[in-house]
Amino acid sequence: MLSVRVAKRFGEFQLDAAFEIGGPKITALFGRSGAGKSSVVRLLAGLERPDSGAVRLGGRELTGLPAHKRRIGLVFQDGRLLPHYSVRGNLLFGFERAAEPLIAFDEVVALLGLERLLSRRPGTLSGGEKQRVAIGRALLSSPQLLVMDEPLAALDGARKAELLPYIAGLAERFHLPILYVSHDPEEILRIASHMVLLDAGRVLAEGEVEQVMSRPEFAAAAGSRSLLSVLVAVVEGHDAERRTTCLSFAGGKMAVPLLDLPAGSAVRAQIKADHVILARGLVPGLSVRNQLPGRVVALTPMGGMIDVLLDVGCPLHAELTYESCRELQLAPGMAVTALVKSAAILTALSATPARPR
Amino acid sequence: MVLWMLELSPLEIEALRLSLLVSSCAVACSLPFGILLAWLLARRDFPGKVLLDGLVHLPLVLPPVAVGYLLLAGMGRQGLIGGWLYRSFGVSFVFSWKGAALASAVMAFPLLVRAIRLSLENVDRGIEAAAATLGASPFDVFLRVTLPLSLPGVLAGVILAFARSLSEFGATITFAANIPGQTRTLPVALYGVTQTAGGDAEAMRLCLISIGLALATLVASDLLARRLDRRLKG
């Protein structure tokens, strides 16, 4: 269990953040650039002193401790491997200094596929290899918390896709809480179960990823004009002929573009509110694959539009004009059908198992 | 010509040996202090830092004779520190090769500190921070990360200081005088023969030996620097 309450002034910028994370799971620290994410990381790791506040980790008071006594493993965006040590030397640097090594050297090497790299120098590694070594090095220092500060930001799409599964499995495998700093919602959808939303130095929301991502504060921070809904689903099966994958979620079934995932995989589906169309009853003769029956829960004005919160077995936001709401005579409790194009559903393999709601 | 150069006279061998001994000792003994001062100046803020910086650089701008005289006043047997050292430990710097080494060390110190300081300032603090999060204490980080990464600068400082020591004359002759077998290094010997009638050929030989020694030092340092570079960059 990590509990953080830190305040520090950096010139004009005031950081004043408080949040808690716990358990062997990945919590994302999300915020756009300049939100204060890296400052939080530096304060956590003891690389900077807060003006006031306290950091506690697993019952230990870390507030006054120097970085080398905190037992917080840090993976930096730029790797920061020791250039004068081999890969093996880098991995052993923290391992040899750990008071009680909890994680076996060979296990980490095998897990991250580092066997062939051990005698190489950091200068000869590719970006993805460097980050794998950096992750292994942090793990081997036997931390009580692993902090990853945008570890994939410097990598291209293919390398990212290659590394994400490694990271997703770490928390459970090593029974380690992970704070994953990112400004990429897709990464978070894929690997985090919980998230902390940071904006302008303050924590705006924290909780499960599905809930935090559905909030207006998240949409604003992610630079999206409309709200997002995140549904937890399981891959039901594939229809190769129609080139679609069938997902089952709390409200029934949903078709999305073909996924390269085995049946039973847990996924998250993200739907933007302005991609949802509402109708009264089922509509025949449409190209839209998904017609989800549900009920109106609430109508909330948002800017020049109205956010319609639906219950389709789980919460789903739809963004409509005042005009449309009036024409459909929408009111809380009313039965409607939500139409969602398959192509408008962003799916991501989720590391956390789907929970029935 | 080559053969003429290869047969060194006892005087030349002695001067060469003394030059190497004095310069090596001067650099080896001042290196730890040089690293400490460079680190203080590069990484720490404290009152009087500007003054200390100025003091370290003083031998660079003072006439060497002045430095030699100050050494005589401070470290001579009647001097404040030198007197105490002589009474307590029987150690005397004046008129011995140790004095020549001390004079060389003081004269070369600014060059040593400057080069090390520059390279310490260039070490990536991010990598030091990473080492700290892996459990390395500040001293551990200095020994295993900062110092190895600034080794090229340390080497440059050592070479500069060594070369400066080889050519040291003014402070040495003032403080340690011209004593055969003790303080008659190459420059001192060279000065001696130029003051002697008919010493032209000998002076030229000593000049050529000095040039050869300087070139050998530079070539050796270049080779070493390349090897270091390969080691550090992988």
Side-chain angles (χ1 to χ4, degrees):
Chain A
M1 170 75 130
L2 169 79
S3 95
V4 183
R5 185 167 46 77
V6 283
K8 188 176 173 81
R9 180 165 266 300
F10 300 88
E12 288 295 290
F13 182 77
Q14 173 73 45
L15 179 80
D16 195 350
F19 61 90
E20 287 188 349
I21 72 172
K25 63 190 181 202
I26 301 184
T27 304
L29 179 63
F30 176 86
R32 56 188 139 191
S33 48
K37 303 187 297 288
S38 289
S39 302
V40 169
V41 169
R42 295 183 61 79
L43 289 167
L44 255 182
L47 299 174
E48 232 162 281
R49 311 248 153 218
D51 295 338
S52 67
V55 179
R56 296 183 62 82
L57 175 61
R60 283 194 308 141
E61 179 69 49
L62 300 188
T63 318
L65 284 184
H68 69 281
K69 289 185 180 157
R70 294 207 170 196
R71 297 191 60 194
I72 294 182
L74 204 46
V75 178
F76 300 86
Q77 188 186 119
D78 49 353
R80 299 198 188 171
L81 300 181
L82 304 170
H84 54 307
Y85 280 80
S86 64
V87 167
R88 182 192 300 277
N90 270 280
L91 292 172
L92 287 175
F93 194 87
F95 190 65
E96 285 165 350
R97 287 167 175 75
E100 27 167 354
L102 301 173
I103 296 172
F105 184 83
D106 293 336
E107 186 183 0
V108 169
V109 169
L111 178 76
L112 294 169
L114 301 175
E115 297 92 341
R116 289 182 306 105
L117 306 179
L118 285 176
S119 56
R120 301 256 298 268
R121 292 264 171 185
T124 67
L125 301 179
S126 71
E129 288 169 338
K130 274 184 194 156
Q131 284 309 68
R132 261 153 55 202
V133 175
I135 293 169
R137 179 176 78 163
L139 280 173
L140 284 169
S141 68
S142 289
Q144 290 183 323
L145 168 75
L146 186 62
V147 178
M148 309 181 92
D149 189 3
E150 309 216 22
L152 306 181
L155 306 180
D156 60 41
R159 294 287 90 71
K160 262 187 209 181
E162 182 188 302
L163 263 176
L164 269 171
Y166 282 121
I167 298 172
L170 292 179
E172 230 168 294
R173 172 118 186 215
F174 297 110
H175 206 78
L176 190 67
I178 296 180
L179 184 68
Y180 187 91
V181 180
S182 176
H183 66 267
D184 181 355
E186 211 182 318
E187 267 175 42
I188 295 175
L189 270 181
R190 285 202 56 174
I191 65 169
S193 65
H194 288 66
M195 71 183 285
V196 175
L197 173 58
L198 192 69
D199 193 51
R202 265 154 228 283
V203 173
L204 295 187
E206 57 182 310
E208 290 180 15
V209 168
E210 295 82 25
Q211 284 161 10
V212 174
M213 281 200 175
S214 305
R215 297 179 60 152
E217 294 92 339
F218 176 79
S224 162
R225 202 178 48 78
S226 45
L227 296 182
L228 302 167
S229 309
V230 178
L231 315 183
V232 178
V234 175
V235 174
E236 186 82 6
H238 305 286
D239 188 337
E241 205 176 307
R242 293 192 185 130
R243 307 208 50 77
T244 55
T245 292
C246 178
L247 304 179
S248 73
F249 73 109
K253 298 205 188 317
M254 196 163 50
V256 296
L258 201 58
L259 296 176
D260 185 19
L261 293 171
S265 304
V267 294
R268 282 189 174 128
Q270 191 195 62
I271 302 167
K272 281 181 140 184
D274 58 352
H275 289 164
V276 179
I277 297 164
L278 293 190
R280 307 181 64 166
L282 292 173
V283 189
L286 277 186
S287 68
V288 179
R289 300 301 335 145
N290 300 301
Q291 302 208 10
L292 313 172
R295 264 172 206 294
V296 175
V297 175
L299 301 161
T300 321
M302 266 191 62
M305 310 288 277
I306 291 190
D307 172 56
V308 183
L309 177 61
L310 305 167
D311 178 5
V312 292
C314 59
L316 180 71
H317 290 279
E319 186 179 284
L320 271 67
T321 59
Y322 279 78
E323 184 65 19
S324 306
C325 284
R326 200 162 43 239
E327 233 169 74
L328 286 173
Q329 295 175 323
L330 292 182
M334 199 175 123
V336 289
T337 305
L339 311 180
V340 187
K341 284 179 63 156
S342 295
I345 304 175
L346 175 72
T347 44
L349 174 70
S350 153
T352 50
R355 287 141 301 178
R357 280 166 190 265
Chain B
M1 173 79 187
V2 175
L3 281 176
W4 175 67
M5 275 309 298
L6 279 178
E7 294 249 345
L8 296 180
S9 70
L11 173 128
E12 290 161 352
I13 291 172
E14 182 202 271
L16 187 59
R17 183 187 69 84
L18 261 180
S19 266
L20 289 173
L21 172 74
V22 164
S23 299
S24 309
C25 275
V27 174
C29 296
S30 58
L31 185 58
F33 300 101
I35 292 174
L36 180 71
L37 265 166
W39 180 80
L40 277 175
L41 292 173
R43 295 296 180 85
R44 284 278 174 268
D45 272 316
F46 50 90
K49 182 171 167 176
V50 178
L51 193 68
L52 182 67
D53 196 17
L55 217 59
V56 167
H57 281 90
L58 215 50
L60 212 55
V61 287
L62 271 184
V65 180
V67 174
Y69 180 73
L70 287 172
L71 280 173
L72 201 56
M75 301 296 287
R77 280 184 203 171
Q78 264 75 50
L80 201 65
I81 307 170
W84 175 75
L85 280 175
Y86 184 60
R87 284 191 305 275
S88 311
F89 306 103
V91 178
S92 168
F93 285 98
V94 193
F95 308 134
S96 83
W97 70 269
K98 285 177 238 141
L102 180 63
S104 291
V106 171
M107 290 306 293
F109 201 57
L111 299 171
L112 186 69
V113 171
R114 222 181 153 73
I116 299 175
R117 176 185 178 172
L118 272 176
S119 71
L120 281 179
E121 281 168 351
N122 279 331
V123 171
D124 186 349
R125 307 294 289 267
I127 289 176
E128 294 178 357
T133 66
L134 291 169
S137 67
F139 186 65
D140 198 5
V141 170
F142 178 77
L143 229 52
R144 301 292 221 90
V145 179
T146 315
L147 201 54
L149 287 181
S150 51
L151 223 49
V154 174
L155 178 71
V158 164
I159 296 302
L160 265 174
F162 187 75
R164 178 67 188 79
S165 297
L166 283 180
S167 62
E168 166 47 34
F169 171 71
T172 308
I173 200 147
T174 313
F175 178 48
N178 177 358
I179 298 165
Q182 282 294 329
T183 71
R184 194 161 72 185
T185 57
L186 279 171
V188 176
L190 179 56
Y191 176 73
V193 292
T194 57
Q195 300 300 307
T196 321
D200 283 352
E202 185 54 50
M204 185 51 72
R205 282 178 58 94
L206 285 169
C207 263
L208 290 173
I209 294 170
S210 298
I211 292 172
L213 190 57
L215 282 179
T217 307
L218 292 176
V219 169
S221 85
D222 193 55
L223 289 175
L224 208 57
R226 275 177 215 213
R227 279 189 55 176
L228 258 182
D229 216 43
R230 267 207 302 279
R231 243 184 76 92
L232 290 178
K233 297 217 173 91

